Amino acid sequence: MIGIQNLTKTYKTKHGTVKGVDEVSLTIKRGEIYGIVGYSGAGKSSLLRCINLLERPTSGTITVDGTDLTSLKGEELRLARLKIGMIFQHFYLISQKTVFENIAFSLKAANYPKGQIKERVEELLATVGLAEKRDVYPAQLSGGQKQRVGIARALANNPKVLLCDEATSALDPTTTKSILNLLKKINKELNITIVLITHEMNVVKEICHRMAIMQEGRVIEEGSVYDLFASPRAELTKEFIESVVSFDVPEAILKNCEGPIIKVTFKGKVAGEGVISDMLQQCNVKGNFLHGSIEYIQELPLGIFIMELKGQKDEVKRALQYIEDRAAQVEVLRDGR
């Protein structure tokens, strides 16, 4: 659906030329929700704006639904952009216009048939759950309601792609969840491909199918959200994941541990099985649970546990092997005394 090949975007500053995006290549599949994650300055916003050519790449190509956007100009580019909706962090609604008029404005700008505008706006208001707010002004809306207007406006011209630029960063957690649920509904019912940039891993965990981690303009790791949560490779990926799935054990607790301390990761249906309890019955060891939880990502369980094993070395070794044969990953965090 979206092909990004060797994309580079440079900016000229008083200190010289800076690369905002550095040789990025990505493939985003039709109908998926794809997250681009990074801290401020990582290049994710520049990359997003290049996808619809709000910023023209310095080099490389952007292909959307089989069309090379980087080869288009003028009217051809304008028409191609109609199939790419965009949602912004700060809403950018016209304060002097009602909710109805804000959405209608997008349709008029795209030369939508005048006789069909009213019906289309009312359809969009129903989709985002704001039918009763059609005649109020932005100042009378909550942040979540403003973003729903922004989503309706972005959907006005039946886009195939929806770009979300930190769409929930200005919202409280409850409102964020409602907006993410709306985006999931839109993705499922309209089969719209969604590209979402964020620095919030909770957002990615909640909604995205696949993700890319960006640092200093480059993609340093990419894959399914589930796999990256289960087995992150890059240190920055681990840092982001630990911001939502933290397994820090207080040093005061660790000082009292004598046996090896292990971190066990269970993937898929194995996460719900009693592998550890079975191991304790099979091997002559005792287990001391220090931390653990089961996370659900795309409705699939991911179990992560930290525990101390106590027993003779050969029995501890046998216990580790028993778990390794049934778990996705076993990491020895600290050897026994």
Side-chain angles (χ1 to χ4, degrees):
M1 180 59 180
I2 301 175
I4 302 170
Q5 290 294 322
N6 303 319
L7 190 79
T8 296
K9 174 63 181 177
T10 61
Y11 300 93
K12 290 184 179 180
T13 71
K14 61 182 180 181
H15 301 295
T17 300
V18 175
K19 282 187 178 180
V21 182
D22 189 1
E23 290 289 327
V24 167
S25 294
L26 292 172
T27 299
I28 299 170
K29 301 173 186 176
R30 186 182 304 275
E32 77 175 341
I33 303 177
Y34 193 94
I36 300 174
V37 183
Y39 289 122
S40 297
K44 58 188 189 298
S45 292
S46 293
L47 177 60
L48 193 78
R49 289 195 295 270
C50 283
I51 292 177
N52 62 358
L53 262 66
L54 283 179
E55 292 194 18
R56 187 168 283 274
T58 305
S59 62
T61 59
I62 299 281
T63 302
V64 177
D65 200 25
T67 300
D68 179 4
L69 296 189
T70 49
S71 69
L72 304 181
K73 293 182 180 179
E75 183 65 10
E76 284 185 322
L77 179 57
R78 189 189 73 82
L79 291 174
R81 278 185 179 142
L82 290 178
K83 295 304 177 183
I84 306 175
M86 192 157 184
I87 306 168
F88 301 93
Q89 176 182 359
H90 298 297
F91 320 128
Y92 297 118
L93 303 181
I94 304 170
S95 59
Q96 297 84 7
K97 293 184 180 292
T98 65
V99 166
F100 183 98
E101 291 167 340
N102 264 278
I103 300 170
F105 183 80
S106 293
L107 294 166
K108 292 174 182 176
N111 297 318
Y112 200 86
K114 289 183 179 180
Q116 299 175 30
I117 288 179
K118 180 176 182 294
E119 180 182 356
R120 178 59 178 155
V121 172
E122 289 178 346
E123 178 185 347
L124 290 163
L125 286 169
T127 297
V128 300
L130 286 180
E132 76 285 358
K133 300 290 184 182
R134 71 187 302 279
D135 297 320
V136 307
Y137 290 87
Q140 299 169 274
L141 300 175
S142 67
Q145 290 169 337
K146 289 177 183 177
Q147 194 56 283
R148 286 173 182 269
V149 177
I151 292 171
R153 184 181 56 190
L155 294 175
N157 292 293
N158 293 303
K160 295 182 178 181
V161 175
L162 196 58
L163 306 180
C164 304
D165 187 359
E166 299 277 8
T168 59
S169 293
L171 306 176
D172 62 76
T174 301
T175 305
T176 290
K177 191 170 183 64
S178 72
I179 293 298
L180 294 181
N181 285 337
L182 175 59
L183 291 175
K184 284 194 285 188
K185 174 188 171 186
I186 289 167
N187 168 255
K188 184 176 181 179
E189 294 180 359
L190 303 180
N191 196 36
I192 291 178
T193 304
I194 297 177
V195 183
L196 182 149
I197 68 167
T198 184
H199 61 275
E200 300 173 296
M201 286 300 287
N202 271 323
V203 169
V204 175
K205 175 174 167 284
E206 177 72 24
I207 193 174
C208 296
H209 303 117
R210 293 194 301 135
M211 63 185 283
I213 304 289
M214 289 192 71
Q215 185 176 33
E216 296 180 350
R218 289 181 172 271
V219 171
I220 62 169
E221 191 162 9
E222 186 206 8
S224 78
V225 172
Y226 189 92
D227 288 343
L228 291 191
F229 265 78
S231 304
R233 299 184 302 276
E235 287 303 314
L236 183 61
T237 309
K238 294 177 183 178
E239 185 178 316
F240 271 114
I241 290 170
E242 286 171 1
S243 70
V244 294
V245 185
S246 176
F247 289 95
D248 290 335
V249 179
E251 187 59 34
I253 299 296
L254 295 177
K255 282 198 298 187
N256 293 324
C257 296
E258 298 180 355
I261 297 173
I262 63 172
K263 178 181 177 182
V264 187
T265 302
F266 295 104
K267 295 175 68 174
K269 65 178 184 179
V270 179
E273 296 177 354
V275 173
I276 293 178
S277 62
D278 291 345
M279 175 273 294
L280 293 173
Q281 292 179 11
Q282 296 285 334
C283 305
N284 188 24
V285 296
K286 292 183 178 181
N288 178 23
F289 282 95
L290 305 175
H291 211 322
S293 73
I294 296 179
E295 301 286 333
Y296 288 89
I297 302 169
Q298 295 298 321
E299 299 183 356
L300 288 173
L302 175 66
I304 303 175
F305 302 91
I306 295 177
M307 62 184 300
E308 175 193 15
L309 291 179
K310 294 180 180 181
Q312 296 297 321
K313 283 188 177 181
D314 58 337
E315 284 297 304
V316 169
K317 184 177 180 180
R318 192 161 75 91
L320 285 172
Q321 190 62 54
Y322 186 96
I323 299 173
E324 284 176 356
D325 290 343
R326 294 158 179 80
Q329 181 179 335
V330 177
E331 180 183 356
V332 178
L333 301 180
R334 196 182 77 179
D335 291 327
R337 295 176 185 174

